[in-house]
Amino acid sequence: MRTLKIILTLALTCIFSAGVLSLSDKLAEHKIKENQKKAINQAIFKMIKQAAKIQALAGKKIQIYKAFDKNGHTAGFAFIAEGSGYQGKISILCATDVSFRKLLGIEIIESMETPGLGARISEDWFKQQFRGLSVLKPITYGKKADLNNNQIQAITGATISSRSVVRIINNAMKKAEKTAKNEQN
Amino acid sequence: MSKTKLLPIFKKGLWENHPTFRQLLGMCPTLAVTTSALNGLSMGLAVMFVLVFSTFIVSLIRRLVPAQVRIAVYTIIIATFVTIADIFLKANFPQVSKDLGPYVPLIVVNCIILGRCEAFASKNTPLKSVIDALGISSGFLWGLMLLGSIREFFGSGSIFGITLLAKGFKPLIVMILPAGAFLVLGFLVSLINFIEKRMKKC
């Protein structure tokens, strides 16, 4: 009897909680998506200076954006790279130049890394390092940044997070390149 | 149940039983998010929302929950309200949500909340529990805001984003770093102990 009551109490609490949560999630889903879209657009405008208009392309495996300048010429590309970090998903927005050769910058859209350590991937000095790196060969990481070797400086005490960012971007680059190349022709 | 009994319960959380300066509970958000007054305010409000609703529900069902699983049940209830707060912030205040980052989901493990559920709400009526929750969370709120304001003032020269110090001022970066949080907290706790001693002598 007693065990049954315990099980019932826990089950009911969980069912109730799940119900309330799925309801509030439904209510907020639309707004959250809208906010994310806004944040992505703003980040693209910031990284691709000439961009005046942004169009989302239907990439098969990856979300790609194409930016146009005032006259309607292509100004650059941006893609969303996603993968797991030290503590859950990291979502990175990467911008490249028109020819898809160089990174113009990256922006961390979503991450759950450790505050004070891994979360420092969102700091400007870390993100700035990706500016000007080549998209054609894999990015590496080390103790010092080296533009010629396509290398960034990892964050002290957060090697896993730094490595994750590099790996996520490297993986996404290949996928994004194909879609972008198709679009260029 | 007379009304005169409710006011002391509320007041207790504001000073005598102050969660930050007296009980030194919930130190993680206290030290981590108080880099600005606004962050302190939003964290305080999020905790208030979670605390009031969790203690209300816990108090409502206090006679139905078997003692062996009460902590598990409380935790689920708290986690539910924390997730609602998190979703709400993400939908309506994306910037605040980004600034507070993982500290909003971490309210689940804030010991003030489980502490109030276990120590007060599980033994008192819903009305009393809500009053107690309001008192404690108001105390937490003013504590965080004071801490945030002091750190923002010295660390960035502003309060609530409004610049207060002249251009020649060099911000004390240490104040918005973790070390600054400990320093300010230490000074505030000793100041409050000092005031308390003075008040007792009178």
Side-chain angles (χ1 to χ4, degrees):
Chain A
M1 224 16 232
R2 215 182 203 175
T3 322
L4 192 70
K5 198 184 167 194
I6 288 174
I7 294 170
L8 266 179
T9 316
L10 279 177
L12 276 177
T13 318
C14 289
I15 290 168
F16 186 72
S17 157
V20 172
L21 285 185
S22 60
L23 184 75
S24 45
D25 189 51
K26 270 251 170 72
L27 288 175
E29 200 185 8
H30 179 70
K31 257 190 175 169
I32 292 177
K33 278 222 174 109
E34 201 99 300
N35 286 338
Q36 274 171 346
K37 222 168 145 189
K38 232 191 254 169
I40 288 171
N41 279 354
Q42 267 173 5
I44 296 178
F45 282 131
K46 205 175 105 190
M47 291 188 287
I48 305 177
K49 292 272 148 43
Q50 308 90 331
K53 202 181 134 230
I54 293 163
Q55 184 198 348
L57 304 178
K60 264 181 199 157
K61 283 180 183 162
I62 190 163
Q63 179 64 53
I64 295 196
Y65 301 88
K66 193 175 178 182
F68 299 94
D69 64 9
K70 276 181 283 180
N71 309 319
H73 300 298
T74 312
F77 292 95
F79 58 90
I80 292 190
E82 279 179 345
S84 49
Y86 183 57
Q87 256 171 358
K89 196 173 87 173
I90 302 180
S91 176
I92 308 161
L93 181 76
C94 312
T96 73
D97 61 351
V98 187
S99 52
F100 213 88
R101 284 203 183 112
K102 266 190 178 158
L103 277 178
L104 292 177
I106 65 162
E107 196 64 49
I108 312 291
I109 300 290
E110 199 188 326
S111 93
M112 306 216 287
E113 300 309 286
T114 325
L117 291 171
R120 294 180 64 200
I121 54 171
S122 302
E123 285 178 8
D124 275 335
W125 72 268
F126 184 74
K127 292 185 294 191
Q128 293 285 328
Q129 302 185 84
F130 288 87
R131 221 190 145 96
L133 291 184
S134 169
V135 184
L136 303 172
K137 53 187 179 184
I139 298 169
T140 54
Y141 63 95
K143 279 184 183 159
K144 267 194 177 161
D146 185 354
L147 199 63
N148 295 326
N149 285 327
N150 232 24
Q151 180 169 305
I152 60 134
Q153 184 192 342
I155 299 167
T156 317
T159 319
I160 297 181
S161 298
S162 314
R163 187 172 58 202
S164 304
V165 170
V166 168
R167 195 196 59 228
I168 290 165
I169 296 177
N170 283 338
N171 285 343
M173 281 191 314
K174 289 173 226 146
K175 289 184 209 159
E177 194 187 1
K178 263 188 196 165
T179 319
K181 283 271 147 65
N182 288 340
E183 194 57 32
Q184 276 173 335
N185 302 328
Chain B
M1 271 274 295
S2 58
K3 263 186 188 168
T4 46
K5 274 187 180 167
L6 292 177
L7 199 61
I9 296 180
F10 179 74
K11 273 188 175 165
K12 248 189 174 175
L14 288 182
W15 183 264
E16 200 188 320
N17 239 345
H18 193 283
T20 315
F21 301 132
R22 278 307 166 75
Q23 305 187 50
L24 292 175
L25 287 179
M27 283 296 111
C28 167
T30 304
L31 295 168
V33 304
T34 53
T35 48
S36 72
L38 184 67
N39 282 357
L41 175 72
S42 13
M43 178 46 88
L45 288 177
V47 167
M48 182 178 278
F49 166 81
V50 174
L51 189 59
V52 168
F53 281 94
S54 320
T55 48
F56 178 69
I57 302 275
V58 164
S59 163
L60 268 185
I61 58 167
R62 68 187 187 279
R63 283 184 231 270
L64 302 171
V65 179
Q68 295 95 326
V69 287
R70 65 181 196 288
I71 299 291
V73 171
Y74 298 167
T75 310
I76 298 167
I77 293 169
I78 295 166
T80 309
F81 285 112
V82 169
T83 314
I84 292 175
D86 191 29
I87 292 173
F88 176 81
L89 283 178
K90 264 189 197 150
N92 295 304
F93 302 100
Q95 192 49 50
V96 173
S97 168
K98 213 179 169 190
D99 283 345
L100 295 184
Y103 291 101
V104 177
L106 278 177
I107 298 174
V108 176
V109 289
N110 189 323
C111 42
I112 296 173
I113 295 169
L114 192 60
R116 285 338 276 174
C117 286
E118 171 74 3
F120 199 93
S122 63
K123 294 174 192 129
N124 287 287
T125 59
L127 180 65
K128 270 191 185 173
S129 305
V130 167
I131 299 291
D132 172 71
L134 280 172
I136 290 280
S137 50
S138 305
F140 192 58
L141 183 73
W142 81 251
L144 287 196
M145 256 170 59
L146 181 64
L147 213 64
S149 302
I150 296 174
R151 289 179 69 193
E152 194 185 339
F153 181 74
F154 288 109
S156 323
S158 59
I159 288 178
F160 280 108
I162 304 161
T163 312
L164 293 173
L165 292 174
K167 266 186 187 163
F169 166 74
K170 266 197 187 153
L172 292 160
I173 306 289
V174 68
M175 293 305 264
I176 46 174
L177 296 176
F182 283 102
L183 282 173
V184 177
L185 182 72
F187 277 115
L188 282 177
V189 171
S190 58
L191 179 71
I192 278 169
N193 280 342
F194 178 73
I195 296 174
E196 179 77 15
K197 265 190 188 159
R198 271 292 164 89
M199 272 174 27
K200 266 188 188 153
K201 269 187 190 166
C202 289

